[in-house]
Amino acid sequence: MFSIGLTFKLKPGCYPEYKKAHDELWPEIAETMSDNEIDMVIYYYQGRLFLHASAPSREHWELNYANDAADRWARYMSNLIETNEEGELIFEELEEAFSFGEFKV
């Protein structure tokens, strides 16, 4: 099993739209996540988002983002999430500090 933790920052005032977009997740995004067996949870705290996801392998994780729907979703999210100078979403991978149970590698 592959597991990943990421953090990223919302642009000021964008949480309501971010939350609504995820509450009404595009069907094609949900489908590719299901097809690649992605399990994900995102937490919000004081303008930051913390994502934890798992997949059968890193390849499944990467395939989840290798499609047109994921590209369109990323462009939409770039209106809500901080980006770098090239307009790419800024994700910071979190260092694993502890794992237990099925997450223990």
Side-chain angles (χ1 to χ4, degrees):
M1 177 180 64
F2 172 76
S3 177
I4 191 167
L6 302 170
T7 185
F8 44 105
K9 189 172 182 184
L10 283 171
K11 293 178 181 177
C14 289
Y15 181 67
E17 185 175 349
Y18 179 89
K19 177 80 169 105
K20 184 177 188 303
H22 285 77
D23 288 345
E24 300 170 1
L25 191 62
W26 298 350
E28 58 267 43
I29 297 296
E31 182 178 342
T32 190
M33 289 176 69
S34 291
D35 289 349
N36 289 292
E37 302 176 65
I38 306 295
D39 292 314
M40 181 183 297
V41 61
I42 301 173
Y43 297 99
Y44 172 77
Y45 181 71
Q46 296 184 351
R48 288 204 75 83
L49 294 158
F50 300 87
L51 176 151
H52 177 254
S54 65
S57 68
R58 181 177 280 281
E59 181 182 17
H60 284 82
W61 175 253
E62 291 171 357
L63 282 171
N64 187 59
Y65 294 97
N67 60 70
D68 193 46
D71 291 340
R72 287 186 291 110
W73 182 260
R75 283 193 301 276
Y76 171 44
M77 288 293 113
S78 71
N79 297 306
L80 309 175
I81 297 171
E82 287 192 352
T83 60
N84 62 20
E85 296 78 28
E86 291 81 35
E88 299 165 333
L89 300 174
I90 300 172
F91 292 106
E92 298 171 80
E93 191 164 343
L94 297 169
E95 178 181 338
E96 182 180 301
F98 176 78
S99 61
F100 184 82
E102 68 180 72
F103 294 106
K104 190 165 181 99
V105 181

